[in-house]
Amino acid sequence: MAGIGYWGSKHVRTMRSLDSVSRVVVIDPSEERVAKLRHSFPEVDGHPDLESALPHIDALVIATPPSTHADLACAAMAAGKHVLVEKPFATNLADAHRMVDTAAEREVVLMVGHTFEYHAAVWALREMVARGELGDLYYVDTARLNLGLYQHDVNVLLDLAPHDISILNYVLGSTPTSVECWASRHAHRRLEDIAYLRVRYDEPHIEANVHVSWLDPCKVRRVTVVGSEKMVVFDDLESEERLRVHNKGVTQPEESGDLSLPPMSYRYGEVVAPYLVVNEPLALEDEHFVDCVLTGMRPLTDGHNGLAVVEVLEAAQLSLKERREVFLEEVRRGSTSLARLRQPAVAHSREAV
Ligand SMILES: NC(=O)c1ccc[n+]([C@@H]2O[C@H](COP(=O)([O-])OP(=O)(O)OC[C@H]3O[C@@H](n4cnc5c(N)ncnc54)[C@H](O)[C@@H]3O)[C@@H](O)[C@H]2O)c1
């Protein structure tokens, strides 16, 4: 376990509870954090860095600051270890590709911690969409807001939007074609603390609006899917009725040319909260990772799943910089100004020769 801060310590708890895990080893440069964790769990070994821990581990979970994910993951995979990387999988597309390529070369398991893809409410949402229960899909709206924990190496977009993008890709069974992003800095001098994304999908043809914020008085964790027949709200702050299906809708009557008639007719029906058995998504995710390590099975959220979300984040960052809609194809071709900026110096000098 690399990184035993807020989230890594939760992984330690879930990993310790798995029968298939014989020993948990933690890696963190903070002696204080390691000492504190060992106070609660004396059987856990502590190391200050990956190198000293490598001989003692078969697999690694990375819950360190995002800018450290790729180097740690590649170093562990180069040593033949299986890796689960927390979101954001990487802070840029080149790093995401480096991880996916290293996993393929070393034939190790690479998984991304897209926790919501292990959430029963998100599975149910995907089923409803796949069965066409909502009718024609109109749009999706997501809000992940709070007076949140500011990160020091990534903005709110990279911190929170991976959750929503992974939910959208999973529920729609697709990846977007283009992204537009607006974001601004308020309480932080360097990092954007509020962001809005418009994410367009071609198949199904739908737009999603994503709002993420570290600077909002109200905690909100909501995904709304609106269709012509029904509307569904997934509210992760609800303990009982996380998913509510509203049998409501609006239709335009046949054009009669009579402007005295109301322009729309409204349908109000029942609200149903399907019964869901919600096991802790993080525990399911960790258990799945260990199963994949033991059996060689490909994770549900593999490196390519992580890469697909980083493509959207990269496109969103470019959209923010250039104030325009960015097509995912541009990002995949590596022809964007961000990709050129990030090319290693040696590539520039070769071009110069
Ligand atoms: N899936 C989720 O729902 C979810 C929720 C929260 C956080 N996260 C992710 O988990 C990661 C960690 O977030 P956090 O809030 O726990 O951060 P945090 O700042 O609380 O903890 C990070 C820890 O990593 C340690 N660290 C730094 N560099 C390291 C290195 N090179 N090797 C080992 N340890 C190192 C730090 O000392 C610290 O203890 C982030 O990527 C974050 O996005 C995921």
Side-chain angles (χ1 to χ4, degrees), residues 15-25 43-44 56-58 290 294:
M15 284 295 185
R16 277 182 73 254
S17 70
L18 293 176
D19 290 339
S20 43
V21 174
S22 56
R23 198 147 55 103
V24 174
V25 171
E43 82 287 1
V44 168
H56 310 285
I57 61 171
D58 299 313
V290 175
L294 294 175

Side-chain angles (χ1 to χ4, degrees), residues 83-322:
V83 174
L84 163 57
V85 185
E86 260 310 330
K87 65 83 199 163
F89 185 53
T91 54
N92 62 72
L93 198 48
D95 276 352
H97 277 294
R98 188 155 63 91
M99 285 194 272
V100 169
D101 293 347
T102 308
E105 271 162 32
R106 307 300 303 194
E107 297 182 355
V108 292
V109 171
L110 174 61
M111 176 164 152
V112 60
H114 286 160
T115 327
F116 282 96
E117 294 190 43
Y118 300 87
H119 198 306
V122 176
W123 299 337
L125 202 52
R126 178 180 159 113
E127 290 270 298
M128 279 178 216
V129 168
R131 283 198 304 264
E133 212 175 296
L134 311 181
D136 294 334
L137 291 181
Y138 285 162
Y139 73 93
V140 184
D141 190 273
T142 77
R144 197 166 298 281
L145 327 172
N146 200 3
L147 205 52
L149 286 176
Y150 277 73
Q151 301 293 314
H152 56 77
D153 61 343
V154 290
N155 61 13
V156 72
L157 177 72
L158 266 72
D159 182 39
L160 297 183
H163 286 310
D164 299 295
I165 298 163
S166 94
I167 292 172
L168 287 166
N169 286 357
Y170 178 77
V171 168
L172 299 173
S174 178
T175 54
T177 45
S178 72
V179 183
E180 281 174 90
C181 177
W182 299 261
S184 49
R185 294 186 290 267
H186 300 278
H188 198 287
R189 252 177 264 125
R190 201 167 37 83
L191 299 171
E192 287 79 13
D193 38 23
I194 67 164
Y196 296 84
L197 295 180
R198 182 180 295 145
V199 190
R200 290 199 171 90
Y201 289 79
D202 262 1
E203 194 53 56
H205 188 66
I206 190 169
E207 278 184 12
N209 305 303
V210 174
H211 180 195
V212 286
S213 175
W214 287 328
L215 193 60
D216 197 284
C218 302
K219 183 166 182 173
V220 180
R221 298 280 182 263
R222 194 183 57 225
V223 177
T224 309
V225 186
V226 174
S228 55
E229 299 298 321
K230 289 180 183 170
M231 306 176 180
V232 188
V233 180
F234 163 36
D235 184 344
D236 203 25
L237 300 183
E238 285 283 341
S239 52
E240 290 284 315
E241 299 178 348
R242 281 200 169 87
L243 215 54
R244 285 204 183 101
V245 186
H246 298 253
N247 191 357
K248 281 183 181 174
V250 184
T251 42
Q252 196 170 8
E254 293 290 311
E255 285 289 347
S256 68
D258 181 353
L259 295 179
S260 67
L261 292 173
M264 304 299 274
S265 66
Y266 295 82
R267 184 171 43 77
Y268 296 98
E270 74 284 1
V271 181
V272 175
Y275 175 70
L276 298 172
V277 179
V278 183
N279 291 312
E280 187 190 6
L282 181 68
L284 295 180
E285 176 191 303
D286 281 347
E287 194 176 354
H288 179 59
F289 175 57
V290 175
D291 280 351
C292 291
V293 168
L294 294 175
T295 62
M297 185 168 57
R298 179 178 274 274
L300 295 171
T301 50
D302 64 2
H304 291 278
N305 177 306
L307 183 81
V309 170
V310 176
E311 281 178 350
V312 182
L313 296 172
E314 182 106 338
Q317 298 271 58
L318 183 62
S319 167
L320 183 60
K321 183 167 168 265
E322 297 189 352

Side-chain angles (χ1 to χ4, degrees), residues 1-5 8-18 21-28 30-48 53 56-57 59-61:
M1 179 71 237
I4 47 165
S9 53
K10 294 185 194 293
H11 277 287
V12 173
R13 171 181 50 78
T14 60
M15 284 295 185
R16 277 182 73 254
S17 70
L18 293 176
V21 174
S22 56
R23 198 147 55 103
V24 174
V25 171
V26 301
I27 305 161
D28 201 300
S30 163
E31 281 178 24
E32 196 189 328
R33 282 200 166 155
V34 174
K36 199 169 154 208
L37 189 101
R38 295 199 67 231
H39 187 71
S40 310
F41 308 128
E43 82 287 1
V44 168
D45 280 344
H47 290 269
H56 310 285
I57 61 171
L60 180 70
V61 177

